[in-house]
Amino acid sequence: MSELTFNIEARVSQGAFKRLLVQQALHLTGQPRCLVLNDVYLPEVEKILGDNILIANKSKKEFLLSDEIISDPKKRLALSNAYLSIDRINSIHLNNAFVSSALLVIEMIAKTFKEHPPYTLGRLINSSADEITDDIKAVKPATVPSGQKKQFKAISGYLQKSEGISTFMELLNGIWRLHKGFMIKGEFQKPHTWQKDNNLIVIPASELQKDGYSKVLFEYFLNDQISVLLDSDTPLPLYSAFLSDFKGNMSISFAKDQNPSMASNIAFKASKMMVSVENFDAELFCTWLAKYDLKLLKKYSINDFETAFKNYQFASYSNSFLGAEDDSLFLYRINDKNELSKRKFDLAPVLKILKQDQAVPQPHEKEQVQQTVQAPKIDESKIAKTVSEAVSTDIAKAVEEAVKPLIEKINELEKTQTETNQQLKETVSSPPSNNWDDMESIDNAFQDALKNQPDTNNDWS
């Protein structure tokens, strides 16, 4: 079953394999697929995956002009539409039926002379009109597939006319300019069997800005409804028309705040959405939830999402993405070994810890220090007794003894007042703390919250 997945990637990915789209491409197995990748990540992917991928603009073998494609009417029509996306072919003003019929002629001549289709194409563009006509006549009607006999007969008859053969040769020249780069020393290698082999083909996003072979290959993927994974630099006009009715799997990655109107359009049509929690877009995620998982919005508000991820933008959330399935939130995480996993996630423990943290005054906050100092209590009965005892003896000495405790208490009071004033000065003038211990404390709190998440065996597989 096909599905549209929309990713909001981290603003700065820590590497190609920390990019959710690349992980999705690796896990989408058992079928051919095309990954359009931002150029900056290509060297890392090429270095690590090597021969496990086919890079479109670096291959020495043909992808499109193969028996596998042009012998199949449906695939041949998809290739015809792909050719028509190129200006120099579209400017000839042909319909896809004529282009498809021309490819059928190349296929039947190649089979007749036991050639690879790219080689046949190269030979035909150097042939005269009479030589092309002779090659067509050499095709035995019995070798033409039964469902395509009528089409082959019609194009053969049209090519006997001067305007027909002229248009045919103009089309062949336009197609040849796209494929001639695969010729090495006058020969073509046997084309890739990438559809049969379920290969992953990687196209640099910058190549789609050009009116060349990579663009035709990409258009073929779309027209033949083969799964595609599109990074944020993929030109929108090339695939926007396929969003509503695409039979293959399609994954699209954007950066946060990239083309808001198109992001809303894609989110509306996406059956799955995953958002980086390093730069969480709560509004877009909740808008998507409103259509696909309304029950979760009854449990959490947009403010809950904003609060949780705004206050925890530290290492604990690195390379993590939030999604939702079957009325539950899921946290997708890419670890240090570039392994992707998922588990059920609940905001409640995180919000609870945040609430507890907010209740405890932070050390960097300016605090109002009470400047009132309690005077120490003076034992009046002791003083009275001392004075009373002194009356019958030496009055001067008695007064001195009576006043001495009071003077000591006053000195103690002044000392306490001085210390309090100094404490107030230091507290108010001290700058906010930049101690990493504060952040580690927050990360530890988040880890405690993760431990309180419900267990699940629903890991990525």
Side-chain angles (χ1 to χ4, degrees), residues 204-321:
S206 63
E207 288 292 312
L208 298 185
Q209 303 285 353
K210 308 171 186 176
D211 219 27
Y213 187 87
S214 291
K215 182 180 178 182
V216 174
L217 180 59
F218 177 64
E219 290 280 356
Y220 173 76
F221 269 95
L222 294 175
N223 281 284
D224 201 31
Q225 308 285 304
I226 300 172
S227 295
V228 293
L229 303 101
L230 314 176
D231 214 341
S232 55
D233 289 345
T234 307
L236 287 168
L238 296 185
Y239 66 86
S240 57
F242 292 88
L243 291 174
S244 298
D245 188 29
F246 192 71
K247 301 298 189 296
N249 293 301
M250 182 182 288
S251 294
I252 301 171
S253 280
F254 268 28
K256 185 181 179 181
D257 299 326
Q258 177 184 340
N259 199 331
S261 60
M262 179 56 73
S264 298
N265 184 28
I266 296 173
F268 177 78
K269 296 174 181 178
S271 55
K272 284 187 176 181
M273 185 172 182
M274 282 162 273
V275 182
S276 169
V277 298
E278 294 179 52
N279 42 255
F280 194 73
D281 193 330
E283 182 177 355
L284 185 63
F285 186 71
C286 288
T287 302
W288 175 78
L289 282 180
K291 180 176 181 182
Y292 289 96
D293 216 326
L294 190 58
K295 288 183 179 179
L296 282 173
L297 284 186
K298 294 179 180 178
K299 185 177 181 181
Y300 299 116
S301 68
I302 188 171
N303 186 60
D304 289 335
F305 287 101
E306 289 177 340
T307 299
F309 299 124
K310 181 180 180 181
N311 289 276
Y312 274 101
Q313 292 181 359
F314 297 103
S316 294
Y317 274 157
S318 182
N319 306 314
S320 297
F321 303 82

Side-chain angles (χ1 to χ4, degrees), residues 87-119:
D87 289 341
R88 62 174 169 267
I89 294 178
N90 189 48
S91 63
I92 306 174
H93 303 296
L94 303 173
N95 58 31
N96 58 4
F98 182 88
V99 178
S100 177
S101 298
L103 292 175
L104 176 60
V105 169
I106 294 173
E107 164 70 2
M108 296 315 304
I109 292 175
K111 283 187 174 180
T112 299
F113 293 95
K114 295 180 172 54
E115 300 167 340
H116 293 315
Y119 182 85

